[in-house]
């Protein structure tokens, strides 16, 4: 009898164990699908690049302050660095491969200060194809260190500034499950644990500690205090319990979104409706300069990500039309499709999309809020620039629906232009300002700086759209001409199409 009972207990235990393993692997598979891990990886050996000693001759180069184009210059590249810049009249040694830059414009490689690579490795190629030679990864994973190592060893891709996973302090089974399964968000419910995490991520090689909006106040100050002791910057979201007044003197050195300021301002004002929207905007206009001055005085850098936020209204009520305006075919299918545990980008499964069941009155109120939010973004962004706050162009690519890696940075630059920034201010925000924030020797065409460069057919100082007129990219000293860049885009599109579960033809232009 005892042996029978033991067999039953062992059998039940075995079934429970099998079910647990099944559930674990199911959820892990769903998570990896959304993170892009199931999409076919492009074989980069097919793309022709040129390395060695390069000379871009007779070219107009962007000045180090981004204010003018200097004509008739020759830029020499060797060992991934700019080794000389001189007037075109000086002869170039025969060992240099000459690239004719006549009637073209050389600018530093662009930088997207806020992206999420996740496990979507093909995104590295999309950044290069769009002239982006450096990215700021804002929820780091071990895979990203592997990507950077491959790039250091010659693989095609941008250099990666890797911030830690998001630090949060949520409690409960769901938060712990996400922390355990996904690894991009980590929960620390006590100040002691949060302090230990700061040391852990610094020792692992992360460049900064990334904060989540759901970090509690006690842990917020614990993280900043410990980070200051070991000299690692604290960046990211404005936690919900923290006011703007508390932010200014907190020691947090960067805020990941202009929207964080906008949301905080709306929250402190009270509920925004169609009746008080104009009053709120007047109120914000009166406060915006003060906010910007306090940020500037406390050396807090702001990453923009305004284009994505300005797309929310379109995604909310006109999603199909909106999807036709973006480079959807290049977005990793996993993130587009979503899964049983995470939203995607398509109608019926998009986190921004509102239900068609809303009444007309409800739609009016939602639209009033969204339009007010967009105008508030404009007000805050202008105030930041006018008061000399350091801003860096960021997109939240792969972190928010609608932001396609690589392509979204050009949309961000256009949006900043529409808000009222000058082309000089925009170019600084996506080159030298971001490079300085990352503490990297890139972002300028200057001797001993990294040879991360973009050769354009049109002058971006005349029209910021010209940042898209890419003739060639030099990344880590590797030269990729237009043909190579086009082949990269074709290969990514092909890999995506082979990996799709849901057809997207009706959402394409």
């Amino acid at each position: 009898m005892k042996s029978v009972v033991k067999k039953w207990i062992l059998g039940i235990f075995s079934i429970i164990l099998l079910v647990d393993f099944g559930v674990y692997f199911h959820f892990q598979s769903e998570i990896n699908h959304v993170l892009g891990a199931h999409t076919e990886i492009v074989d980069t050996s097919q793309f022709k690049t040129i390395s060695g000693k390069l000379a871009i001759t007779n070219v107009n180069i962007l000045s180090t302050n981004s204010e003018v184009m200097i004509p008739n210059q020759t830029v020499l590249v060797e060992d991934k660095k700019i080794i000389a810049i001189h007037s075109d009249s000086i002869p170039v040694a025969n060992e240099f491969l000459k690239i004719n830059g006549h009637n073209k414009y050389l600018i530093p490689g662009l930088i997207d200060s806020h992206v999420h690579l996740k496990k979507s490795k093909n995104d590295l190629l999309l950044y290069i194809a769009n002239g982006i030679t450096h990215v700021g990864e804002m929820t780091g994973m071990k895979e990203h260190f592997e990507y950077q190592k491959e790039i250091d060893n010659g693989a095609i891709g941008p250099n990666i500034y890797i911030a830690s996973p998001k630090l949060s302090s949520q409690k409960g089974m769901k938060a712990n499950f996400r922390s355990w399964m996904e690894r991009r968000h980590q929960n620390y419910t006590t100040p002691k644990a949060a302090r230990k995490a700061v040391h852990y991520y610094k020792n692992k090689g992360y460049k900064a500690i990334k904060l989540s909006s759901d970090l509690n106040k006690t842990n917020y100050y614990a993280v900043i205090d410990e980070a200051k002791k070991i000299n690692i910057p604290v960046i990211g979201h404005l936690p919900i319990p923290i006011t703007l007044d508390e932010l200014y003197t907190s020691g947090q050195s960067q805020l990941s979104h202009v929207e964080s300021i906008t949301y905080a301002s709306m929250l402190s004002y009270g509920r925004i409706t169609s009746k008080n929207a104009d009053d709120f905007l007047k109120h914000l206009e009166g406060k915006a300069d003060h906010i910007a001055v306090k940020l500037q005085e406390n050396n807090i850098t702001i990453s923009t990500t305004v284009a994505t936020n300005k797309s929310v209204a379109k995604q909310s009520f006109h999603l199909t039309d909106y999807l036709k305006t973006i480079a959807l075919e290049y977005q990793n299918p996993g993130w587009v499709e979503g899964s049983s545990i995470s939203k995607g980008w398509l109608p019926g499964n998009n986190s921004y999309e509102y239900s068609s069941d809303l009444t007309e009155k409800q739609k009016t109120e939602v639209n009033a809020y969204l339009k007010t939010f967009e105008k508030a973004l404009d007000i805050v962004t202008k105030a930041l620039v006018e008061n000399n706050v350091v801003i860096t162009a960021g997109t939240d690519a792969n972190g928010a629906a609608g932001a396609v890696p690589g392509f979204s940075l050009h949309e961000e630059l256009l949006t900043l232009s529409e808000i009222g920034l000058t082309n000089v201010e925009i170019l600084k925000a996506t080159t030298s300002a971001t490079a300085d924030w990352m503490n990297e020797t890139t972002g300028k065409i200057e001797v001993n700086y990294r040879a991360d460069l973009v050769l354009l057919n049109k002058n971006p100082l005349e029209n910021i759209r010209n940042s898209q007129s890419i003739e060639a990219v030099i990344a880590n000293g590797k030269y990729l001409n237009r043909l190579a860049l086009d082949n990269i885009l074709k290969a990514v599109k092909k890999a995506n199409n082979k990996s799709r579960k849901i057809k997207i033809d009706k959402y394409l232009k």
Side-chain angles (χ1 to χ4, degrees), residues 25-252:
F25 285 114
H26 168 73
F27 279 107
Q28 195 63 67
S29 178
E30 292 289 277
I31 289 169
N32 281 332
H33 176 67
V34 173
L35 296 181
H38 293 167
T39 299
E40 179 182 290
I41 296 175
V42 171
D43 177 10
T44 60
S45 65
Q46 64 185 291
F47 306 123
K48 184 179 179 181
T49 65
I50 300 172
S51 300
K53 297 182 178 182
L54 306 174
I56 304 98
T57 65
N58 193 29
V59 70
N60 305 291
I61 70 170
L62 187 67
S63 62
T64 55
N65 61 9
S66 299
E67 292 180 359
V68 296
M69 285 289 179
I70 305 170
N72 304 320
Q73 299 294 295
T74 290
V75 178
L76 301 183
V77 172
E78 184 178 359
D79 295 330
K80 301 182 181 181
K81 285 188 177 182
I82 299 168
I83 63 167
I85 303 170
H86 52 65
S87 63
D88 204 52
S89 59
I90 297 177
V92 176
N94 291 332
E95 63 261 32
F96 283 85
L97 175 67
K98 294 182 181 179
I99 299 161
N100 187 0
H102 180 62
N103 284 338
K104 299 193 188 312
Y105 303 86
L106 192 68
I107 66 171
L110 305 177
I111 308 174
D112 189 333
S113 67
H114 190 120
V115 310
H116 298 277
L117 291 166
K118 300 182 178 178
K119 296 182 180 180
S120 185
K121 192 174 182 181
N122 291 345
D123 292 354
L124 300 173
L125 300 175
L126 292 178
Y127 287 115
I128 294 300
N130 280 279
I132 299 161
T133 58
H134 217 114
V135 296
E137 168 53 54
M138 291 294 108
T139 45
M141 304 168 69
K142 65 178 183 179
E143 286 82 0
H144 304 148
F145 290 99
E146 295 168 5
Y147 296 168
Q148 182 62 65
K149 186 175 181 180
E150 291 174 4
I151 291 164
D152 289 340
N153 291 330
I156 299 172
N159 283 289
I160 312 169
Y161 175 99
I162 309 174
S164 75
K166 276 186 188 177
L167 272 61
S168 63
S169 51
Q170 291 182 311
K171 295 181 180 180
M173 184 180 294
K174 182 178 180 180
N176 291 330
F177 184 76
R178 186 180 191 188
S179 182
W180 177 49
M181 294 288 288
E182 191 179 349
R183 311 304 299 171
R184 296 173 58 249
H185 304 79
Q186 294 297 302
N187 275 303
Y188 301 96
T189 55
T190 67
K192 182 179 179 180
R195 287 178 184 274
K196 285 182 67 175
V198 172
H199 288 266
Y200 175 80
Y201 292 119
K202 172 82 182 277
N203 292 336
K204 285 291 184 180
Y206 291 94
K207 297 287 185 69
I209 303 299
K210 173 71 183 293
L211 303 178
S212 174
S213 58
D214 52 30
L215 189 69
N216 66 38
K217 185 176 286 192
T218 303
N219 284 7
Y220 174 77
Y221 284 112
V223 166
I224 293 174
D225 179 61
E226 203 64 29
K228 185 177 180 180
K229 293 176 184 177
I230 61 173
N231 194 31
I232 184 170
V234 176
I235 67 174
H237 291 245
L238 180 66
I240 293 170
I242 305 299
T243 66
L244 288 175
D245 286 336
E246 290 170 324
L247 167 70
Y248 302 141
T249 56
S250 67
Q252 183 175 338

Side-chain angles (χ1 to χ4, degrees), residues 288-300:
D289 285 332
H290 170 75
I291 293 170
V293 167
K294 297 300 291 184
L295 292 167
Q296 194 276 336
E297 287 177 349
N298 289 283
N299 299 313
I300 300 174

Side-chain angles (χ1 to χ4, degrees), residues 224-405:
I224 293 174
D225 179 61
E226 203 64 29
K228 185 177 180 180
K229 293 176 184 177
I230 61 173
N231 194 31
I232 184 170
V234 176
I235 67 174
H237 291 245
L238 180 66
I240 293 170
I242 305 299
T243 66
L244 288 175
D245 286 336
E246 290 170 324
L247 167 70
Y248 302 141
T249 56
S250 67
Q252 183 175 338
S253 65
Q254 185 256 22
L255 200 57
S256 286
H257 309 277
V258 172
E259 72 182 81
S260 294
I261 303 168
T262 305
Y263 277 135
S265 300
M266 296 175 95
L267 187 64
S268 65
Y269 185 81
R271 186 167 177 264
I272 307 298
T273 69
S274 58
K275 294 180 180 179
N276 68 357
D278 289 340
D279 290 337
F280 164 71
L281 292 173
K282 290 177 183 176
H283 165 79
L284 183 59
E285 286 175 343
K287 288 190 64 177
D289 285 332
H290 170 75
I291 293 170
V293 167
K294 297 300 291 184
L295 292 167
Q296 194 276 336
E297 287 177 349
N298 289 283
N299 299 313
I300 300 174
T301 298
I302 309 295
S303 180
T304 56
T305 70
V306 289
T308 297
N309 283 287
K310 280 175 160 285
S311 77
V312 172
K314 298 171 188 174
Q315 295 193 62
S316 296
F317 295 109
H318 308 285
L319 181 55
T320 298
D321 291 339
Y322 169 75
L323 292 173
K324 292 178 181 179
T325 69
I326 63 175
L328 186 64
E329 62 269 40
Y330 296 105
Q331 177 63 47
N332 194 306
W335 190 224
V336 170
E337 295 164 358
S339 74
S340 61
I341 60 171
S342 181
K343 295 281 190 180
W345 290 21
L346 301 178
N349 193 34
N350 180 300
S351 58
Y352 295 132
E353 187 179 27
Y354 273 89
S355 168
S356 58
D357 295 334
L358 289 181
T359 65
E360 287 304 314
K361 183 178 179 181
Q362 288 172 325
K363 286 182 181 178
T364 297
E365 289 304 320
V366 170
N367 275 313
Y369 179 88
L370 293 174
K371 288 178 181 177
T372 303
F373 175 63
E374 285 191 39
K375 291 176 182 177
L377 284 172
D378 293 353
I379 292 168
V380 172
T381 306
K382 287 178 183 177
L384 295 175
V385 175
E386 289 169 0
N387 289 281
N388 301 313
V389 176
V390 176
I391 67 166
T392 64
T395 66
D396 213 359
N398 265 359
V404 181

